[in-house]
């Protein structure tokens, strides 16, 4: 069963509801500022009032522990938590800040409630956080705890009105820690510093832009430091059966760097990756069973859609070149055509005691799978 699409819809629904509930905070800010409660006691009252107003809106609870500053241009110094219904802290945030025209937001909210504005629009110029800690683990029913906590405790009420719009002009996270076990045998321990991007939710479609992100995966490869630097744009939801995406990726492990870019548009995808020439010793440290001598370089290209997937891989090890191709047709008749070519292989590259040699080989194969339901 493919759980990705339902979970994506649940995430979009949670974001939409979150945008609507931001109005609770906005209205509280307007009242607070007009009542001149930007004092320690007043800020505590606002934090407690907003926490109480949000109670019961999700399976989990959003708790505001502190509000540092309140003004008509936004807020800062917010410490908050998302707590599951079992008491686990799933998201902990310190130093949250939002910059926006609070009176404009409140005016839009009043217009939406009064029916003069058909769509609820929440636009923030900038949102930032000093530190985030996010638990991406699963609960006992194998559902991500974060999604479960953001679900509504009540069945959704059918509505013909368009969903809310959420626009975050600039998102900046100074430091984040992502941890947990999203599936059996997989442990996530990732440190992010920093993250810069944008987010927009409109018409049930989500657009996410990542302008800068540096993430270090601790423990993913024993004894090695892996750093990931992706940038790009992803569009999901709305009328799209598949997400559209453009992503550029840089991955550094020890002294080896991998570069990749991927595009998915209208159900068609293309992926390219290359490993610039590096020493085999670096790869040997990552894959102990692979300890040839000399240098190694690799490149991969893949493209396809629902009807076919075509892949080409080229690997250079010392003086040897291996090229492999594959063409797969996922639909009936399901077939895979394979091809491989090896040139200039020296056995001494892989075993110092082997005799001098230069080997070459060609291989072609075609595999056809039985039709669904065939015996």
């Amino acid at each position: 069963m493919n759980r990705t699409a339902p979970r994506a819809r649940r995430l979009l629904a949670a974001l939409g509801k979150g945008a609507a509930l931001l109005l609770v905070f906005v209205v509280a800010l307007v009242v607070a500022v007009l009542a001149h409660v930007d004092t320690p006691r007043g800020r505590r009252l606002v934090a407690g009032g907003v926490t109480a107003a949000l109670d019961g809106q999700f399976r989990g609870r959003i708790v505001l522990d502190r509000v540092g500053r309140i003004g008509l241009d936004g807020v800062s110094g917010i410490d908050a938590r998302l707590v599951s219904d079992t008491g686990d802290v799933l998201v902990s945030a310190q130093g949250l800040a939002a910059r926006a025209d609070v009176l404009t937001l409140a005016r839009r909210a009043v217009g939406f409630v009064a029916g003069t504005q058909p769509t609820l629009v929440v636009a923030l110029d900038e949102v930032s956080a000093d530190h985030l800690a996010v638990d991406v683990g699963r609960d006992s029913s194998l559902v991500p705890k974060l999604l479960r906590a953001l679900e509504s405790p009540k069945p959704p009420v059918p509505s013909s009105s368009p969903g809310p719009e959420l626009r975050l002009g600039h998102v900046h996270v100074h430091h984040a820690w992502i941890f947990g076990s999203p599936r059996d045998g997989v442990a996530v321990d990732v440190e992010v510093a920093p993250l810069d991007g944008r987010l927009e939710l409109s018409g049930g479609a989500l657009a996410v832009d990542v302008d800068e992100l540096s993430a270090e995966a601790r423990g993913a490869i024993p004894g090695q430091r892996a750093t990931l630097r992706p940038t790009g744009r992803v569009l999901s939801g709305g009328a799209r059966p598949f997400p559209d995406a453009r992503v550029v990726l840089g991955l550094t492990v020890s002294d080896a760097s991998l570069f990749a870019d991927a595009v998915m548009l209208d159900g068609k995808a293309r992926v390219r990756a290359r490993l610039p020439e590096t020493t085999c010793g670096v790869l040997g440290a990552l894959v102990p069973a692979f300890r040839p001598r000399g240098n190694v370089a690799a490149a991969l290209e893949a493209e396809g859609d629902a009807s076919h997937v075509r892949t080409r891989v080229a690997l250079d090890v010392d003086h040897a070149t291996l090229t492999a191709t594959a063409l797969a047709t996922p639909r009936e008749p399901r077939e895979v055509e394979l091809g491989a070519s090896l040139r200039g292989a020296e056995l001494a590259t892989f075993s110092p005691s082997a005799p001098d040699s230069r080997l070459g080989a060609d291989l072609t194969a075609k595999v056809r799978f039985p039709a669904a339901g065939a015996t």
Side-chain angles (χ1 to χ4, degrees), residues 7-256:
R7 288 177 181 174
R9 286 194 293 269
R10 288 156 65 186
L11 178 59
L12 290 174
L15 285 172
K17 187 172 183 179
L21 292 176
L22 275 175
L23 290 182
V24 175
F25 198 28
V26 169
V27 172
L29 288 180
V30 173
V31 172
V33 172
L34 296 180
H36 302 288
V37 294
D38 189 19
T39 63
R41 182 174 182 275
R43 290 192 291 270
R44 287 195 297 270
L45 290 174
V46 170
V50 172
T51 297
L54 295 178
D55 190 31
Q57 299 299 320
F58 302 100
R59 289 187 183 275
R61 291 187 305 118
I62 297 177
V63 180
L64 267 66
D65 296 313
R66 185 178 74 94
V67 177
R69 187 191 71 85
I70 299 174
L72 291 178
D73 60 343
V75 294
S76 62
I78 296 175
D79 294 342
R81 293 170 289 141
L82 172 62
V83 183
S84 72
D85 53 359
T86 60
D88 296 329
V89 178
L90 304 180
V91 179
S92 175
Q94 286 83 45
L96 288 175
R99 183 168 57 83
D101 187 334
V102 176
L103 289 179
T104 297
L105 290 176
R107 186 167 59 250
R108 288 173 178 169
V110 172
F112 176 74
V113 174
T116 58
Q117 181 170 308
T119 303
L120 173 62
V121 179
V122 178
L124 305 180
D125 299 327
E126 184 174 0
V127 176
S128 62
D130 291 336
H131 174 73
L132 297 176
V134 182
D135 184 348
V136 295
R138 299 182 302 178
D139 60 17
S140 57
S141 58
L142 305 184
V143 175
K145 293 188 286 186
L146 203 53
L147 283 182
R148 176 79 75 186
L150 292 174
E151 285 181 342
S152 174
K154 302 176 183 178
V157 179
S159 174
S160 58
S161 62
E165 294 186 7
L166 174 63
R167 302 171 190 162
L168 306 182
H170 179 213
V171 178
H172 174 77
V173 178
H174 180 70
H175 179 269
W177 177 38
I178 304 171
F179 63 95
S181 180
R183 63 180 61 185
D184 292 339
V186 177
V188 174
D189 184 4
V190 177
E191 186 174 8
V192 177
L195 181 151
D196 282 283
R198 289 155 286 157
L199 183 146
E200 181 173 345
L201 175 67
S202 178
L206 176 66
V208 178
D209 291 89
V210 177
D211 301 317
E212 181 183 5
L213 190 157
S214 180
E216 180 179 341
R218 295 189 288 245
I221 303 175
Q224 303 296 322
R225 175 177 176 176
T227 303
L228 187 69
R229 293 183 176 86
T231 59
R233 177 177 176 84
V234 178
L235 303 175
S236 178
R240 298 176 180 83
F242 301 99
D244 291 343
R246 295 179 182 273
V247 178
V248 177
L249 176 69
L251 173 64
T252 302
V253 180
S254 187
D255 295 326

Side-chain angles (χ1 to χ4, degrees), residues 264-282:
M264 174 175 266
L265 186 63
D266 297 329
K268 297 180 180 180
R270 187 199 73 220
V271 178
R272 297 181 301 185
R274 61 185 179 89
L275 175 70
E277 185 173 290
T278 186
T279 62
C280 289
V282 171

